[in-house]
Amino acid sequence: MDLALENGVRMIGCQQSLDLNGMSKDDLGLELPLLNPSNALPTLSAVGKVLTC
């Protein structure tokens, strides 16, 4: 993840996934913007590539 960030990759987290897994933003270990799926769709449709984990 560090290498990706150093090379300009923009990461976002999914708030709904965190909620479903009983996690909070603090559990991520990185300061990431969090979006819900409906808020993420316009952002994701504007990018060239999307990777999910």
Side-chain angles (χ1 to χ4, degrees):
M1 288 179 68
D2 290 334
L3 183 58
L5 291 170
E6 289 170 12
N7 284 285
V9 172
R10 291 179 53 208
M11 296 184 195
I12 60 170
C14 177
Q15 182 65 57
Q16 186 176 7
S17 291
L18 289 176
D19 295 342
L20 289 171
N21 289 289
M23 298 173 69
S24 72
K25 188 175 185 173
D26 296 331
D27 293 317
L28 294 176
L30 292 172
E31 187 64 32
L32 297 177
L34 297 178
L35 298 176
N36 290 318
S38 60
N39 299 76
L41 288 176
T43 301
L44 297 177
S45 66
V47 299
K49 295 180 183 178
V50 176
L51 302 174
T52 62
C53 297

